[in-house]
């Protein structure tokens, strides 16, 4: 059973026994809508888990699942359309887009920004560009690009179908055909991929998720969300072959997968001088990670620093490429994620988040 399915089944069971207050339901809907708009994030966490986490945002009224990733916590600097066209990463991104979807050459840049190194303006960790059709039907493209490697990290295509018959109202095979076409235009070789398509449990609006996996690969592919008149698409990196421990914590006797991404950290295991399985066994006794560390004369701050650094550095990874930034920006990113790290390392199994 895949981790996505485990998460989904677990959340379904949880949802059956809870009543979500209207105000919280609204907040979750807004978080989910916002997620689809900005979409990329999740660079640190396994992209294959995004579907499960979005499902969690719909089903479970907890802020934990709506928390932004580190890169989205940082302030972006605005750019003009002229600056985008002069910037190397900006030019490369636009050239790729124009080559893939020629009609976008006539679009205008309506918004652009970058997340960069405050000590070196030439180092842009991530570049965001929004283009919109002039007049017409309001077609829009939003791109997030790695500012160092020029790789497009995700793309959101909006309003390509008439408002009277938005994309999500089409038959499933036509929806898949639209996503296939977009992938083929941007990356090519769609025939090399197998796709799994399923509808997500969103009672308010039909949402479809498509997972494309390259034949013979260890998870390399693409993931697409279709909602309303929007396709959100991002490449997916191959799944590491080394198996990680799942469900460090439990709730009502069932695995709770929320903290796994933070705790599956080789540097944490090295600091604690424990294997992942040994740490899981200690947590199952009702101890927190902080308490396990204290028993080994390791301070809470040492644990925070290790996990926060891994999370921050993970944001700068784009496939095999790693963006180099200043220590100041890295420390800023570590500081931003620290509260969430603290929440996890102080957590105890069978308790609420």
């Amino acid at each position: 059973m895949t981790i996505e399915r485990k998460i989904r089944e677990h959340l379904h069971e949880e949802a059956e026994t809870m009543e979500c207050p209207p105000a919280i339901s609204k907040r979750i809907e807004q978080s989910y809508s916002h997620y689809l708009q900005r979409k990329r994030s999740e660079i640190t966490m396994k992209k294959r888990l995004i579907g499960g986490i979005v499902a969690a945002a719909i089903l479970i009224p907890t802020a934990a699942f709506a928390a932004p990733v580190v890169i989205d916590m940082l302030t972006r600097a605005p750019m003009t359309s002229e600056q985008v066209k002069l910037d190397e990463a900006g030019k490369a991104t636009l050239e790729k887009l124009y080559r893939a979807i020629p009609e976008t050459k006539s679009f205008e840049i309506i918004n652009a920004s970058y997340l960069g190194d405050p000590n070196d303006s030439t180092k842009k960790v991530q570049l965001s560009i929004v283009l919109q059709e002039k007049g017409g039907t309001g077609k829009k493209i939003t791109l997030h690009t790695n500012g160092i490697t020029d790789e497009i990290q995700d793309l959101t295509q909006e309003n390509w179908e008439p408002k009277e018959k938005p994309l999500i109202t089409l038959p499933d095979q036509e929806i898949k055909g639209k996503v296939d076409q977009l992938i083929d235009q941007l990356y090519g070789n769609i025939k090399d991929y197998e796709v799994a398509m399923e509808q997500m449990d969103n009672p308010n609006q039909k949402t479809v998720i498509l997972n494309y996996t390259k034949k013979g690969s260890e998870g390399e592919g693409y993931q697409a969300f279709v909602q309303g008149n929007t396709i959100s698409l991002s490449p997916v990196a191959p799944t590491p072959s080394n198996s990680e421990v799942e469900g460090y914590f439990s709730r009502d006797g069932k695995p709770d997968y929320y903290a796994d991404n933070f705790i599956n950290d080789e540097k944490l295991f090295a600091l604690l001088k424990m294997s992942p399985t040994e740490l899981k066994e200690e947590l199952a006794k009702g101890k927190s990670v902080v308490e396990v560390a204290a028993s080994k004369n390791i301070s809470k701050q040492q644990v925070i620093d290790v996990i926060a650094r891994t999370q921050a550095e993970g944001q700068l990874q784009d496939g095999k490429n790693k963006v180099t930034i200043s220590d100041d920006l890295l420390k800023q990113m570590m500081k931003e994620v620290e509260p969430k790290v603290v929440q996890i390392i102080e957590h105890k199994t069978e308790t609420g988040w």
Side-chain angles (χ1 to χ4, degrees):
M1 183 181 290
T2 65
I3 179 66
E4 296 99 319
R5 185 167 296 280
K6 289 179 182 177
I7 292 173
R8 190 174 298 110
E9 290 184 357
H10 172 72
L11 295 176
H12 273 302
E13 293 173 0
E14 292 289 332
E16 288 175 356
T17 59
M18 66 175 60
E19 293 184 9
C20 186
I24 296 179
S25 294
K26 187 64 179 174
R27 181 172 59 79
I28 293 172
E29 289 174 14
Q30 291 171 341
S31 296
Y32 176 53
S33 176
H34 177 62
Y35 167 81
L36 287 178
Q37 291 295 322
R38 60 185 169 79
K39 199 40 205 84
R40 164 23 74 96
S41 23
E42 24 194 329
I43 300 173
T44 295
M45 61 185 68
K46 290 180 179 178
K47 296 182 179 181
R48 284 183 165 275
L49 288 178
I50 293 173
I53 292 173
V54 171
I58 296 169
L59 292 170
I60 292 185
T62 170
F65 289 98
V69 292
V70 183
I71 205 164
D72 282 344
M73 297 175 178
L74 303 176
T75 302
R76 293 176 179 274
M79 297 177 73
T80 65
S81 58
E82 288 72 23
Q83 288 174 321
V84 173
K85 294 171 183 175
L86 292 173
D87 182 83
E88 288 190 13
K91 285 192 295 184
T93 300
L94 292 176
E95 287 172 3
K96 290 178 184 175
L97 177 65
Y98 296 157
R99 190 163 54 247
I101 311 176
E103 69 177 292
T104 58
K105 289 180 182 177
S106 64
F107 286 21
E108 61 180 337
I109 298 173
I110 61 170
N111 194 11
S113 61
Y114 75 92
L115 173 66
D117 192 324
N119 297 322
D120 186 349
S121 62
T122 65
K123 289 187 175 180
K124 295 178 175 62
V125 175
Q126 190 182 70
L127 190 65
S128 173
I129 307 172
V130 184
L131 301 98
Q132 190 170 41
E133 180 185 28
K134 296 177 182 177
T137 58
K139 292 181 179 179
K140 186 189 291 186
I141 289 272
T142 300
L143 301 145
H144 289 108
T145 297
N146 185 310
I148 305 298
T149 65
D150 301 339
E151 294 297 321
I152 295 177
Q153 297 171 326
D154 65 78
L155 174 146
T156 300
Q157 183 189 70
E158 299 175 68
N159 304 324
W160 243 251
E161 299 300 314
K163 289 182 179 178
E164 300 74 26
K165 194 174 183 181
L167 180 64
I168 201 67
T169 64
L170 300 177
D172 286 354
Q173 281 306 308
E174 288 190 39
I175 293 175
K176 175 182 174 299
K178 300 289 183 182
V179 179
D180 285 355
Q181 181 182 15
L182 182 59
I183 293 174
D184 209 31
Q185 287 175 311
L186 285 167
Y187 303 103
N189 302 320
I190 188 65
K191 294 180 180 178
D192 294 342
Y193 293 84
E194 298 173 329
V195 59
M197 179 178 181
E198 63 180 302
Q199 185 172 331
M200 295 176 64
D201 299 306
N202 181 359
N204 297 318
Q205 188 172 26
K206 181 182 176 183
T207 303
V208 173
I209 180 171
L210 299 97
N211 283 306
Y212 290 79
T213 304
K214 190 172 185 178
K215 297 172 184 175
S217 77
E218 295 183 348
E220 178 184 353
Y222 306 97
Q223 190 170 65
F225 289 90
V226 178
Q227 187 188 53
N229 216 356
T230 299
I231 299 174
S232 297
L233 172 68
S234 59
V236 176
T239 303
S241 57
N242 58 314
S243 60
E244 297 173 328
V245 170
E246 298 174 354
Y248 281 95
F249 298 109
S250 62
R251 185 83 184 276
D252 298 328
K254 300 173 183 175
D256 182 344
Y257 300 103
Y258 172 59
D260 288 3
N261 176 59
F262 287 81
I263 298 182
N264 272 316
D265 185 329
E266 292 295 336
K267 292 178 181 175
L268 173 64
F269 304 141
L271 176 67
L272 298 176
K273 295 182 173 61
M274 302 176 76
S275 70
T277 302
E278 289 172 336
L279 177 56
K280 183 176 179 177
E281 289 172 352
E282 288 300 303
L283 298 180
K285 297 174 183 175
K287 299 178 183 177
S288 67
V289 176
V290 172
E291 290 173 340
V292 173
S295 70
K296 296 175 174 289
N297 295 320
I298 297 168
S299 71
K300 176 179 173 181
Q301 192 60 49
Q302 285 177 283
V303 175
I304 293 172
D305 290 345
V306 163
I307 298 177
R309 178 176 286 272
T310 297
Q311 292 291 316
E313 290 180 341
Q315 300 290 312
L316 307 173
Q317 204 77 32
D318 183 31
K320 296 179 180 179
N321 302 306
K322 184 176 181 180
V323 177
T324 302
I325 61 171
S326 69
D327 286 343
D328 288 345
L329 181 56
L330 180 62
K331 289 177 181 176
Q332 183 185 353
M333 295 175 74
M334 291 172 62
K335 198 68 179 175
E336 295 290 347
V337 79
E338 185 173 313
K340 181 147 292 298
V341 175
V342 171
Q343 179 194 31
I344 289 168
I345 64 176
E346 291 183 341
H347 184 74
K348 294 186 179 182
T349 197
E350 297 296 341
T351 59
W353 288 98

